Amino acid sequence: MAPATAKAGSHHQQSGLGFPSASYKALRGAEALTLALKATECLDGRGAFLHWCDPAARRLHLVAASGLAAESAEAWADLSDEQDVAPAHAMRRGDYAWVVGDSLGMGAAGTAAVPLLGADGPIGVLSVIMEGAGEPDEVQRSFLHSVAGWAAACLEELPGRLPVRGSEAGSEQTVRMGKLTSALAEALTSREVVQAVAAHVLPPFGADGLIFWVFEGGRQRVVGSAGYTQELLSLLDGILVADYPVATDVLGNRTPRFIESAAEYCQRYPALEHIPSAAKKNAWAFLPMIASGRSIGMCLVSFAQPRSFSDEERTLLTALSGLAGQSLGRARLYDVEHARAQGLQRGLLPRTLPRLPAACAAARYLPAGRGEQVGGDWYDMIPLSADRVAMVIGDVMGHGIPEAATMGQLRTAVRTLADLDIPPDELLSRLNDLVTDLGEDCYATCLYAVFDPITRICSFSLAGHPPLVIVHPDGTVHRPDLAADPPLGAAEPPFETHQLLLPEESLLVLCTDGLVESATQSVDRGLARLQQILAQHAVPTFTARDEVDDVQHLDDLCDAVVSALLPDHGRTNDDAALLIAHTRAIDAGDVASCILPEDPRAAGQAREFVRAQLAAWGLDDLAITTELLASELIGNVIRHAKGPIRLRLLRSRSLTCEVYDSSLSTPRIRHAAYTDEGGRGLQLVAALSRRWGARYLRDGKCIWTEQDIPVPSENFGSGC
């Protein structure tokens, strides 16, 4: 390895590799000093020092230096452990030290130093002069510790021996190791660690196989690989460590095992003699991976052809094991936290969306890039009375557990308020009160829509949220040009209610801003792109053969939208949610209604109407029960409310009976005494129906009941 160029204006020559004096301790062979050089280059350091510690004299003596002018090396040839320099700090602390400044006049940002630890404490110090990049990051520090650990094992009394310079091939490998260090510093997940090693280690060494194992419960689990078939990986995954003797050897003394041919492999491990031929490999480097002082696994680098390993290659691969172990240990912690965060997020979102007569839907939630925190985006679809369906999507501003908790509260609140059948504007007003009570720094956007399949009207309100997009069966895409009210927590009710008359079939597309907005794209531009994508891919959804096919088409459409709008989602910094619902109007033949007089004759007329209509629908088995329900509901209107009275029957997956009046009084079930002559009407209604309830209109209310239809009629509409 050629020495670095001397500092401009200096008349001194670089010291290259060497010992200042034969009286100091040397390194056993070239390995430890070579590692010092690698630390210098892999960390983009300007030079490196290796000192031996003389505890009796409380001095640090220079063993070797690399990439430094002779003057600089001489300045640190003999240091007191009390000096204000990085090597002395590291020796006193017995741990990593970083000292800012250019104490040697080399244009450095500072010096990083790690002790070489022996059985009784520091026996030396490895120091790296860092350039403009500044202090090493966590992964680079882990690499330094790995280098120091190897050097400490090699440091002994061998005066007078000079290390061997690295070869040009070794220099190239060192450059690749430097790139590996940078790649591992950016790797978050175990998969990314494996990919970084495969990309930056296998090519320079001429290797073609890689396996990462971790040890769990006495077994070795494959967490990543390259160059191996899935069949062979299945044989090596999950086996007991005790049944894989090479792992026992490597774990036993935490040192690598290098095997240079298949014959040597079979000789060492006859119980595993089937492995070389099955794997089509002929040389192996089994490397222990250490993190936080414990063995977490093993890395295997393998070769298709037999080969010998030079001292430098063994040194580099050993350094790799330490670096990879630290990175994998950190990545596995991230994997666990990320999995927990994603599990929490999934638990707060609907596991499945209901398939309703008036609407089927598919949705996607994409957490922000590679971040481990949960987000506040959410969506839901809620069945309402009379086959109406509510769709909601929202975004709590920020990321983290508090925002996810707020999202969970809002979703629960929306479901509770939706059961009250209140209109969208009133629902958002109550939701705004909830968000306001959560604190001044809590804000959320929301879109709440209700689709009525009988009138084909979609009513919705916006609180700081992107508007919905409508797709017609012919592929026409429409986006209402509406001004949204301010976000929840910042709004001043009332909210505005918007209404749209939809065609017989349509797609309603709801999304959060993370899908259509980014640092390089405005919301309007993103929504325009969304419209283009829907126009290109949405039409097949209207040709679905049945409900299952319909949902599959919606899933495919969601995938098309996400892949087009977020092709590189791993680099985004915002969550994204998408909900696409396929709405269908109810056939006019499945709805029947009549106006009744506001007097006692209304109950009898209602029974006659019910009998006739259910007979026409082939639902005679439900006639008696439905007559009783209609009579009780109409009797309540005559006794406690006021007309006009309207009765409506709806045939769908269930039979709905509705009675409308112009009173806003609330029906309540009473606990009648044994001597009471009345007060049991709503108890009877509750007993005869699957569920019942009331919803309030601008000019009155509707009391409704639902009954199961035991056997679908041949004329029954296919629904969604």
Side-chain angles (χ1 to χ4, degrees), residues 128-149:
V128 179
I129 308 298
M130 301 296 294
E131 291 191 293
E135 183 177 5
D137 59 26
E138 180 183 354
V139 173
Q140 291 172 321
R141 293 197 297 272
S142 296
F143 180 54
L144 276 177
H145 281 291
S146 299
V147 171

Side-chain angles (χ1 to χ4, degrees), residues 332-455:
R332 283 178 60 76
L333 291 175
Y334 171 87
D335 289 340
V336 170
E337 292 303 318
H338 189 66
R340 288 175 180 171
Q342 294 305 303
L344 172 62
Q345 185 77 63
R346 286 191 296 269
L348 293 173
L349 293 172
R351 294 191 176 184
T352 58
L353 293 172
R355 300 179 183 181
L356 306 173
C360 294
R364 293 291 183 273
Y365 168 75
L366 294 94
R370 300 159 68 197
E372 73 278 5
Q373 291 186 321
V374 292
D377 287 23
W378 57 286
Y379 58 85
D380 208 347
M381 189 165 81
I382 307 165
L384 304 177
S385 61
D387 275 1
R388 294 172 307 119
V389 57
M391 290 156 282
V392 60
I393 193 165
D395 181 4
V396 178
M397 298 181 185
H399 296 87
I401 299 298
E403 286 73 17
T406 300
M407 178 264 282
Q409 289 178 282
L410 294 184
R411 180 171 174 246
T412 301
V414 167
R415 279 197 158 263
T416 302
L417 294 172
D419 282 343
L420 298 177
D421 257 329
I422 60 179
D425 58 338
E426 185 179 346
L427 185 143
L428 288 190
S429 293
R430 298 193 184 186
L431 212 59
N432 182 70
D433 294 339
L434 172 61
V435 175
T436 301
D437 290 341
L438 292 176
E440 295 181 356
D441 57 346
C442 184
Y443 301 97
T445 66
C446 188
L447 186 161
Y448 182 80
V450 175
F451 171 65
D452 187 336
I454 298 177
T455 63

Side-chain angles (χ1 to χ4, degrees), residues 41-42 62 93 107 134 301 320 326 407 532 536 584 600 610:
E41 296 183 6
C42 291
L62 183 64
R93 297 176 185 173
V301 178
L320 159 68
Q326 294 289 342
M407 178 264 282
Q532 294 173 356
Q536 295 169 1
R584 295 175 185 267
V610 167

Side-chain angles (χ1 to χ4, degrees), residues 184-539:
L184 289 178
E186 296 179 0
L188 289 180
T189 66
S190 298
R191 180 181 179 184
E192 291 174 353
V193 170
V194 175
Q195 289 174 340
V197 174
H200 297 286
V201 173
L202 299 190
F205 283 94
D208 60 0
L210 177 70
I211 300 178
F212 272 68
W213 283 288
V214 294
F215 302 131
E216 296 176 343
R219 296 182 179 273
Q220 52 187 48
R221 304 287 183 183
V222 175
V223 296
S225 67
Y228 282 88
T229 64
Q230 188 58 48
E231 182 179 1
L232 183 64
L233 292 174
S234 298
L235 294 175
L236 299 175
D237 186 24
I239 64 175
L240 290 170
V241 175
D243 293 340
Y244 197 60
V246 64
T248 305
D249 287 351
V250 172
L251 283 176
N253 51 21
R254 294 188 175 186
T255 57
R257 177 74 69 186
F258 298 95
I259 301 176
E260 300 183 342
S261 68
E264 181 185 351
Y265 188 104
C266 296
Q267 182 181 1
R268 285 178 178 269
Y269 308 109
L272 304 176
E273 61 182 4
H274 61 288
I275 297 293
S277 59
K280 298 180 181 179
K281 308 297 182 186
N282 284 282
W284 299 262
F286 292 93
L287 309 168
M289 292 189 294
I290 312 297
S292 301
R294 64 184 184 88
S295 299
I296 65 168
M298 183 171 64
C299 173
L300 168 61
V301 178
S302 58
F303 305 80
Q305 300 299 323
R307 60 164 296 162
S308 59
F309 296 91
S310 67
D311 287 344
E312 185 175 22
E313 287 173 333
R314 292 173 184 246
T315 295
L316 283 170
L317 288 170
T318 302
L320 159 68
S321 68
L323 184 59
Q326 294 289 342
S327 298
L328 186 64
R330 172 177 51 80
R332 283 178 60 76
L333 291 175
Y334 171 87
D335 289 340
V336 170
E337 292 303 318
H338 189 66
R340 288 175 180 171
Q342 294 305 303
L344 172 62
Q345 185 77 63
R346 286 191 296 269
L348 293 173
L349 293 172
R351 294 191 176 184
T352 58
L353 293 172
R355 300 179 183 181
L356 306 173
C360 294
R364 293 291 183 273
Y365 168 75
L366 294 94
R370 300 159 68 197
E372 73 278 5
Q373 291 186 321
V374 292
D377 287 23
W378 57 286
Y379 58 85
D380 208 347
M381 189 165 81
I382 307 165
L384 304 177
S385 61
D387 275 1
R388 294 172 307 119
V389 57
M391 290 156 282
V392 60
I393 193 165
D395 181 4
V396 178
M397 298 181 185
H399 296 87
I401 299 298
E403 286 73 17
T406 300
M407 178 264 282
Q409 289 178 282
L410 294 184
R411 180 171 174 246
T412 301
V414 167
R415 279 197 158 263
T416 302
L417 294 172
D419 282 343
L420 298 177
D421 257 329
I422 60 179
D425 58 338
E426 185 179 346
L427 185 143
L428 288 190
S429 293
R430 298 193 184 186
L431 212 59
N432 182 70
D433 294 339
L434 172 61
V435 175
T436 301
D437 290 341
L438 292 176
E440 295 181 356
D441 57 346
C442 184
Y443 301 97
T445 66
C446 188
L447 186 161
Y448 182 80
V450 175
F451 171 65
D452 187 336
I454 298 177
T455 63
R456 294 190 284 119
I457 291 177
C458 178
S459 304
F460 62 96
S461 294
L462 301 166
H465 204 86
L468 51 76
V469 177
I470 303 99
V471 184
H472 294 244
D474 62 357
T476 303
V477 181
H478 172 58
R479 172 166 59 99
D481 186 14
L482 304 172
D485 287 301
L488 302 173
E492 291 290 338
F495 291 88
E496 186 174 356
T497 298
H498 310 279
Q499 291 190 332
L500 296 172
L501 179 63
L502 301 183
E504 295 289 330
E505 285 187 70
S506 67
L507 297 183
L508 294 182
V509 182
L510 293 71
C511 67
T512 59
D513 58 1
L515 185 72
V516 293
E517 184 181 28
S518 67
T520 60
Q521 179 175 265
S522 66
V523 172
D524 288 338
R525 184 180 176 187
L527 287 171
R529 287 192 62 205
L530 173 62
Q531 290 180 249
Q532 294 173 356
I533 296 161
L534 292 170
Q536 295 169 1
H537 299 279
V539 171

Side-chain angles (χ1 to χ4, degrees), residues 571-596:
R571 296 185 179 276
T572 61
N573 56 9
D574 194 9
D575 304 324
L578 171 68
L579 175 67
I580 303 180
H582 183 184
T583 63
R584 295 175 185 267
I586 288 181
D587 189 275
D590 290 326
V591 183
S593 63
C594 67
I595 302 297
L596 299 172

